[in-house]
Amino acid sequence: MKAGSEIHFLAGQAFILGVACTAIVPRLPSDDNRFSIGGRLSSPFRRALVVLVAIGILRVSVCHLIFPFDNDSAILHVLDGTLGATQVFGQSFLCLTTAYLLQVKLSNYINIEGGVPGRSLVPTLVVVFLVTVLSSFLSKSIHGKWACLINFGEALSCRPIVSTLKVYSSFTTRGGDHGGRGSVLVQTLLTIEYWFLTTSVIAFFAEYFFGNYVEEQQDSGSELTWHILLLEGIRQNQDNGVDDWARLLVHAIFLNSVDEVEHFTSINPSTESSTTNADPEEGNTTTEQVDDNKSTQLTTLQKR
């Protein structure tokens, strides 16, 4: 493999490791062991993220660094395609995990779509899986432009996440001048979801209609227009996983923050305080009623 390609893959892994450390290293108040995965609500997300990072490191190490990929080995091609499809599907799976965990939290208070947490997410998860597998097969066996289906599958994963976040916002920020708008973190997560949806759709069309057009034009010495370069930049961001892992980074920060808030909410003695405050109020009411009765009796005796 050429030195430029090695640098390209290693830079991508460095970014991925940075996102993983940002998601896992911070300790929640309930985390005793600093070397554990940690988290309560965010624990499933953290564990799945570790597995996803391990798959990415295995793919790059075996298929692109240790063994030269230029020897057209069928085994390496199959392994690279399988691990790549698994990694792409895992990224969508992790983001849908955020929606699932929020549905679990909301199910304690309201009726969620599907009746059971995660049930409404299953059809999307199945479609994303099938589209990812189909894209990997068609791009390897027929034409490389069918890799665009991966972007289509990733775009599909945004809808249930946005829907769940809107329900969560309407429940957690009711009333006021901006009821249902959600916290800053929720708005940040919605922003990255809409951004990822937009870039995925653009990358889908850029991959299908242009494909290797930019490389062919550069090899021939032809000039490229600015809109072609813009499409190619967005497509490469998707192919390199920059948008995917930026999306996962925001999901991780959001879940860690919700997890921390839930920890302090669970140990907040609000119920006890309300009970304690209720007794004096009831006592005052009773005293006032007794005083009123006494004054009434006194007035009656005076009249007699």
Side-chain angles (χ1 to χ4, degrees):
M1 176 175 284
K2 298 179 180 179
S5 299
E6 293 177 357
I7 294 175
H8 168 77
F9 281 107
L10 289 176
Q13 293 307 304
F15 178 66
I16 290 173
L17 288 175
V19 172
C21 291
T22 304
I24 298 172
V25 170
R27 298 290 87 188
L28 296 172
S30 58
D31 296 337
D32 296 328
N33 187 355
R34 68 178 60 185
F35 298 105
S36 64
I37 297 296
R40 293 192 303 175
L41 178 68
S42 60
S43 181
F45 183 93
R46 291 183 173 207
R47 295 178 186 277
L49 184 62
V50 171
V51 175
L52 189 62
V53 171
I55 292 174
I57 293 176
L58 177 65
R59 178 195 177 196
V60 172
S61 300
V62 175
C63 300
H64 298 278
L65 296 180
I66 298 178
F67 299 101
F69 197 70
D70 297 331
N71 60 2
D72 294 330
S73 172
I75 297 178
L76 285 179
H77 274 287
V78 172
L79 182 61
D80 181 60
T82 302
L83 293 177
T86 303
Q87 190 175 18
V88 170
F89 172 73
Q91 292 165 354
S92 298
F93 175 82
L94 265 178
C95 294
L96 288 169
T97 300
T98 301
Y100 167 73
L101 294 174
L102 288 181
Q103 289 184 5
V104 171
K105 185 177 176 64
L106 289 170
S107 63
N108 297 322
Y109 308 99
I110 62 176
N111 294 325
I112 61 174
E113 184 182 357
V116 178
R119 178 175 294 177
S120 61
L121 305 176
V122 173
T124 301
L125 195 62
V126 172
V127 172
V128 171
F129 174 77
L130 293 177
V131 170
T132 303
V133 173
L134 182 63
S135 174
S136 179
F137 173 76
L138 293 178
S139 62
K140 298 294 183 182
S141 60
I142 298 180
H143 196 281
K145 70 177 182 179
W146 290 110
C148 66
L149 292 177
I150 289 180
N151 303 119
F152 176 73
E154 290 180 322
L156 292 177
S157 67
C158 296
R159 189 201 67 82
I161 298 172
V162 170
S163 177
T164 303
L165 286 172
K166 288 184 177 180
V167 174
Y168 182 77
S169 298
S170 63
F171 177 77
T172 55
T173 56
R174 291 177 290 182
D177 297 333
H178 305 286
R181 185 167 66 179
S183 64
V184 173
L185 277 175
V186 173
Q187 295 177 61
T188 302
L189 190 54
L190 279 172
T191 301
I192 197 66
E193 284 297 317
Y194 284 126
W195 171 259
F196 185 79
L197 173 63
T198 303
T199 56
S200 295
V201 173
I202 294 175
F204 168 79
F205 288 107
E207 182 73 39
Y208 183 82
F209 290 107
F210 296 101
N212 297 325
Y213 174 78
V214 173
E215 295 180 1
E216 294 173 355
Q217 292 298 311
Q218 289 178 341
D219 293 339
S220 62
S222 302
E223 295 185 358
L224 297 171
T225 58
W226 67 268
H227 62 277
I228 295 294
L229 293 175
L230 177 62
L231 289 176
E232 180 65 13
I234 294 176
R235 186 183 73 86
Q236 287 192 13
N237 263 354
Q238 283 282 330
D239 291 347
N240 298 339
V242 174
D243 287 347
D244 298 87
W245 285 93
R247 181 192 189 195
L248 287 173
L249 175 62
V250 179
H251 276 258
I253 295 173
F254 172 78
L255 281 179
N256 285 339
S257 300
V258 172
D259 210 348
E260 186 175 37
V261 171
E262 188 177 66
H263 170 81
F264 287 110
T265 303
S266 63
I267 64 175
N268 184 20
S270 57
T271 305
E272 296 177 2
S273 300
S274 61
T275 305
T276 305
N277 294 332
D279 291 337
E281 292 177 359
E282 291 178 1
N284 292 338
T285 303
T286 306
T287 304
E288 292 174 359
Q289 290 176 351
V290 171
D291 292 339
D292 290 340
N293 291 336
K294 287 183 179 180
S295 61
T296 303
Q297 293 176 357
L298 181 60
T299 304
T300 304
L301 289 175
Q302 289 177 351
K303 289 181 179 180
R304 290 180 180 177

